[in-house]
Amino acid sequence: MYYDYNMLKADIDREIRKYSFAEYHLIGKSVMERDIPCLRIGAGQRITLIAAAFHGLESLTAALAMRFAGDYSEHINNGNPFFGENAARLFLENTLYVLPMINPDGVDIAVNGIDPSEEAHRKIAGLVGICGFKGKWQANAKGVDLNHNYDAHWEAVKEKPSPSKYGGEYPESEPETRALVSFVRRVRPDILIALHSQGGEIYCDFEGYYPEGALETAEAMSRLSGYKVCMPVGSAAFGGCKDWFIREFDRPGFTVEVGHGQNPLPMSMLDDIYEENARLLLCAMAKRT
Ligand SMILES: [Zn+2]
């Protein structure tokens, strides 16, 4: 079983909305007019942003972000330590934004396949020239890879819409990218963590440049999670969300490749990778180095 948009909506209603202190709003809509939701938990000065499911095959990262948000809220509520952290104190020190699913259309295509009754699906199938999208689709509903669509030494990796690695006609061409970029410009996070899968790796530079404190935080996250601090190579090295964030804000931005195995990682893996990632995310929020 794989996590999808409907499960996300149900999780928000069931696990988040019951807490009066957890706020919920939309930052925008996808190509197919699906909601791009945002959770806000906390009242503190330090602003942490966690974004997940940029890629269709990586919906387990949305499930992970939702479990973390729900679990954190529960510990704020009951006052118990949360993996050693005082959640109630973190709530006062930190404002946490969680964007659990940046690419709801891509997740839907990857999990549920093409629906011939959808005009956008018929169009994309014609453009890309294949129809077996289930288990292969990383892009949005226009065949643009959302983690190659940011304005950070953007360049065309591929010429046309594709299941992955087509960066679009120009940077920020896609509504999902524009929604995230304008939201980030408004809230100006101190730290941004983009969750991807898989490989157990942490990336924290943009073309060899590290914002102040980024490497120290990455190393602390590495100790807590067992993930390796790495430098991206090839097409993974530019045009991504954390690249843009580092370039525009000169603040620590991270790509975390959660888990091990082959995408899409099944929901059954969530229990195995939850604790290592919860500790990593808490470390970023609390800024313990
Ligand atoms: Zn990814």
Side-chain angles (χ1 to χ4, degrees), residues 55 58 196-197:
H55 285 136
E58 302 174 4
H196 290 257
S197 66

Side-chain angles (χ1 to χ4, degrees), residues 11-288:
D11 263 358
I12 290 171
D13 288 342
R14 201 175 45 228
E15 304 297 335
I16 301 297
R17 287 186 147 170
K18 64 183 175 187
Y19 299 109
S20 59
F21 55 79
E23 291 171 27
Y24 164 74
H25 68 280
L26 308 181
I27 62 161
K29 297 266 189 183
S30 67
V31 168
M32 293 179 70
E33 297 284 316
R34 288 191 175 88
D35 296 343
I36 304 175
C38 175
L39 316 176
R40 179 183 192 267
I41 304 166
Q45 251 192 332
R46 180 172 165 79
I47 295 169
T48 307
L49 189 138
I50 299 168
F54 291 82
H55 285 136
L57 296 174
E58 302 174 4
S59 67
L60 189 68
T61 61
L64 171 65
M66 287 305 298
R67 184 180 288 190
F68 180 75
D71 220 5
Y72 177 48
S73 300
E74 189 184 328
H75 285 78
I76 291 165
N77 202 41
N78 66 22
N80 292 333
F82 184 35
F83 295 112
E85 293 288 345
N86 181 333
R89 195 181 67 208
L90 262 188
F91 178 87
L92 296 176
E93 291 172 356
N94 214 284
T95 300
L96 172 67
Y97 291 102
V98 180
L99 308 175
M101 196 176 279
I102 300 298
N103 184 10
D105 298 345
V107 166
D108 176 59
I109 293 172
V111 172
N112 301 313
I114 287 284
D115 177 355
S117 71
E118 291 280 6
E119 194 193 333
H121 284 189
R122 288 199 303 275
K123 210 166 147 189
I124 193 68
L127 275 173
V128 174
I130 56 166
C131 49
F133 290 174
K134 214 166 165 176
K136 292 187 192 137
W137 195 259
Q138 292 278 53
N140 74 350
K142 278 166 55 190
V144 176
D145 188 321
L146 295 179
N147 213 38
H148 286 286
N149 192 231
Y150 289 86
D151 190 5
H153 292 186
W154 180 93
E155 57 184 80
V157 188
K158 281 193 179 174
E159 295 304 314
K160 68 180 193 76
S162 166
S164 74
K165 302 237 162 71
Y166 171 60
E169 286 179 32
Y170 50 88
E172 298 177 22
S173 61
E174 301 310 298
E176 296 90 348
T177 311
R178 288 196 299 273
L180 184 145
V181 161
S182 60
F183 178 71
V184 169
R185 284 181 182 140
R186 188 155 60 76
V187 301
R188 304 183 64 81
D190 293 289
I191 185 166
L192 178 146
I193 298 151
L195 297 177
H196 290 257
S197 66
Q198 43 76 44
E201 293 175 340
I202 300 165
Y203 299 95
C204 63
D205 75 297
F206 174 51
E207 299 187 329
Y209 173 75
Y210 299 89
E212 196 184 333
L215 198 52
E216 292 80 358
T217 302
E219 281 165 356
M221 295 194 302
S222 169
R223 284 194 296 276
L224 289 162
S225 61
Y227 292 175
K228 286 194 304 270
V229 181
C230 298
M231 274 178 85
V233 288
S235 68
F238 53 85
C241 180
K242 76 112 172 68
D243 304 314
W244 163 77
F245 181 72
I246 292 172
R247 184 168 172 253
E248 183 155 325
F249 291 88
D250 193 13
R251 293 177 183 175
F254 302 86
T255 293
V256 179
E257 296 281 356
V258 312
H260 294 275
Q262 198 180 339
N263 285 332
L265 302 177
M267 270 295 279
S268 57
M269 196 176 276
L270 185 56
D271 287 342
D272 301 339
I273 67 165
Y274 177 62
E275 181 173 341
E276 65 206 26
N277 283 289
R279 289 184 183 278
L280 179 156
L281 295 173
L282 281 168
C283 168
M285 289 172 67
K287 203 186 176 205
R288 313 239 188 278

